[in-house]
Amino acid sequence: MKHPYRIREIAAQAGLSEATVDRVLNDRPGVRESTIREVRQAIADLDRQRTQVRLAGRTFMIDVVVQAPPRFSASIRAALEAELPGLRPATFRARFHLLDGPSVADVVTVLDRVARSRSEGVILKAPDVPEIVAAARRVPTPLVTLVTDLPASRRITYVGLDNRAAGATAAYLIHRWLGAGDGDVLVVRGRSSYRGEDERAAGFRAEMPSFRRLFSVVDPEDSPETVAAGIREVLAGAPSIRAIYSMYAGAGGNRTVVSAFRDHPYDVFVAHDLDEENTALLRQRKLSAVLHHDLRTDLRRACHAIMQANGVLPGPIRVNPSAVQVITPHNAPPVEF
């Protein structure tokens, strides 16, 4: 019976004496079959628990690089910090690099600094542009993309929402709620360099019937004033708009969108991410639904992938995007998180 354990370890796991375990391991006579099974079970249990032994006392220093409005960056920080205790017996230490401006150069600078540091993993949310992809490829440690993917970056996995399915879900809900009658749709999105938004847009267009016209407002610089002015301009020329799909709540959040529609009633408003603001808007019936994914689950998967890449957790690293959760006013959590 081959095994890598000391007799003392097996005896403690099985609740038997060391002498009994020694007789079983050396195929000596006079041992009951049930006792042999107990020893085999103890060895199997120790095999499964070797991962915990390898993790005990191991500290992983990771860097979290996020380019996003402060509201979303804060959600990522809070979600990861809430998950860290559950990763024990391993210990994770996180350095946060939270960038709220649109500068590609700032992201590249941070990634190059991280590449020179002692880090055992990087979690990255950034636009899919050549300069950032090149900088991500220079990072020597395992890199996980979060929420929006950079498939050319040699990342070990992507964690986050299935964005194409989310866009299709938004189109399905909006079309069903509007019914067969008239009603066009305004799409609000951020900078077009985020692959996640491109995938949401593709899924949305594929599912939305062609007779509904789609109008768009882009938030190029996370400016609520720009978004509000753009919405008012579109509404002035398209009074047929009865629904809103907000792919990405920029600096002004969805309250900016609601405010811009103050003099133009709408029937449906579908948004993303169940933050405190969107929860309040849901309960006020300003939003019809929020397409949600659990950031804590995403970040837990990211940390597990980093441990797998470092050889301390077994199993292959897979890309397994989060399923879309549809939150309405009826299943929204309390506003006070």
Side-chain angles (χ1 to χ4, degrees):
M1 194 180 299
K2 294 183 178 180
H3 64 87
Y5 309 108
R6 292 176 298 178
I7 290 177
R8 180 179 300 174
E9 290 180 88
I10 300 172
Q13 183 71 30
L16 301 171
S17 70
E18 294 180 31
T20 298
V21 170
D22 182 70
R23 285 200 298 273
V24 172
L25 295 178
N26 290 285
D27 296 321
R28 296 193 179 98
V31 182
R32 292 191 298 269
E33 185 62 32
S34 61
T35 302
I36 295 174
R37 288 196 299 269
E38 289 177 15
V39 172
R40 287 175 176 165
Q41 183 62 53
I43 292 173
D45 291 341
L46 288 170
D47 283 338
R48 286 193 299 272
Q49 294 168 24
R50 286 179 74 184
T51 295
Q52 298 299 309
V53 173
R54 288 199 301 270
L55 289 175
R58 180 70 185 269
T59 298
F60 294 86
M61 176 61 74
I62 63 171
D63 288 275
V64 183
V65 183
V66 176
Q67 188 179 59
R71 180 180 56 257
F72 191 64
S73 295
S75 296
I76 291 174
R77 180 197 285 271
L80 179 58
E81 289 178 344
E83 280 300 309
L84 294 183
L87 297 170
R88 293 178 180 140
T91 300
F92 271 73
R93 297 282 182 262
R95 293 186 291 240
F96 291 93
H97 313 270
L98 308 179
L99 309 169
D100 60 359
S103 171
V104 169
D106 287 349
V107 180
V108 171
T109 298
V110 169
L111 287 173
D112 284 340
R113 187 165 68 246
V114 167
R116 297 189 297 269
S117 69
R118 299 184 63 179
S119 176
E120 291 176 281
V122 176
I123 300 174
L124 174 64
K125 180 204 177 288
D128 186 8
V129 297
E131 298 90 340
I132 290 177
V133 170
R137 290 171 69 90
R138 293 193 291 271
V139 173
T141 52
L143 183 143
V144 177
T145 51
L146 172 69
V147 179
T148 183
D149 199 9
L150 282 73
S153 65
R154 293 193 301 209
R155 48 84 168 140
I156 59 171
T157 190
Y158 161 77
V159 296
L161 189 63
D162 183 335
N163 285 297
R164 184 174 291 267
T169 300
Y172 175 85
L173 293 173
I174 288 172
H175 176 60
R176 292 292 174 178
W177 275 329
L178 284 177
D182 294 335
D184 295 324
V185 184
L186 176 69
V187 177
V188 182
R189 62 173 297 169
R191 295 185 296 274
S192 60
S193 52
Y194 283 95
R195 176 176 288 269
E197 288 187 54
D198 290 340
E199 292 173 346
R200 290 175 188 180
F204 188 80
R205 288 193 301 269
E207 181 66 22
M208 183 62 70
S210 58
F211 73 85
R212 296 201 191 279
R213 293 186 300 166
L214 303 181
F215 299 85
S216 66
V217 170
V218 177
D219 179 8
E221 297 179 354
D222 293 331
S223 166
E225 294 79 12
T226 301
V227 171
I231 291 173
R232 289 192 294 268
E233 181 179 351
V234 170
L235 290 177
S240 57
I241 291 175
R242 306 296 300 175
I244 311 161
Y245 175 37
S246 177
M247 292 187 190
Y248 172 78
N254 287 316
R255 287 196 183 279
T256 295
V257 180
V258 170
S259 178
F261 271 80
R262 182 175 57 250
D263 300 320
H264 187 104
Y266 57 86
D267 298 315
V268 187
F269 190 163
V270 176
H272 280 271
D273 301 322
L274 197 62
D275 57 19
E276 188 171 359
E277 176 185 276
N278 283 344
T279 301
L281 290 173
L282 266 177
R283 293 199 167 277
Q284 296 162 14
R285 306 300 175 103
K286 302 295 186 182
L287 294 180
S288 309
V290 170
L291 304 182
H292 179 59
H293 61 109
D294 186 359
L295 269 176
R296 288 184 58 171
T297 298
D298 295 337
L299 288 160
R300 183 167 65 251
R301 288 175 176 171
C303 292
H304 285 173
I306 289 169
M307 287 191 282
Q308 287 175 296
N310 280 280
V312 296
L313 273 187
I317 302 172
R318 295 188 174 94
V319 176
N320 185 24
S322 302
V324 182
Q325 301 175 38
V326 179
I327 309 298
T328 72
H330 302 287
N331 63 339
V335 175
E336 300 78 20
F337 282 6

